[in-house]
Amino acid sequence: MEKLLLTPEEAGVALGVGRSRVYDLMRTRQLPSVRIGKSRRVPAAAVQAFVDELMERGSGL
């Protein structure tokens, strides 16, 4: 079974950006995230949707 939720580090690896950039994207709500206890997780589907949106707009990070 594939992971449904990714750590910010894992999301960064998937996107090819650093952890700080992932936190910036979460803070600005460009990349949705959920809180589990004190941890932040990024839904894998949100990472794909973010990339899809970038492709539609034709822009980069």
Side-chain angles (χ1 to χ4, degrees):
M1 181 175 189
E2 288 186 44
K3 282 186 162 187
L4 298 176
L5 297 173
L6 306 173
T7 65
E9 292 82 6
E10 292 169 333
V13 169
L15 291 169
V17 299
R19 185 180 82 122
S20 298
R21 182 68 173 132
V22 173
Y23 277 103
D24 286 342
L25 292 169
M26 290 189 302
R27 184 176 39 76
T28 59
R29 300 189 188 274
Q30 294 177 62
L31 185 62
S33 65
V34 296
R35 183 175 290 275
I36 298 177
K38 293 185 178 182
S39 300
R40 278 272 168 205
R41 295 293 182 262
V42 179
V47 173
Q48 184 61 56
F50 178 73
V51 172
D52 292 344
E53 177 66 25
L54 290 176
M55 295 297 292
E56 284 181 20
R57 289 188 294 169
S59 65
L61 293 175

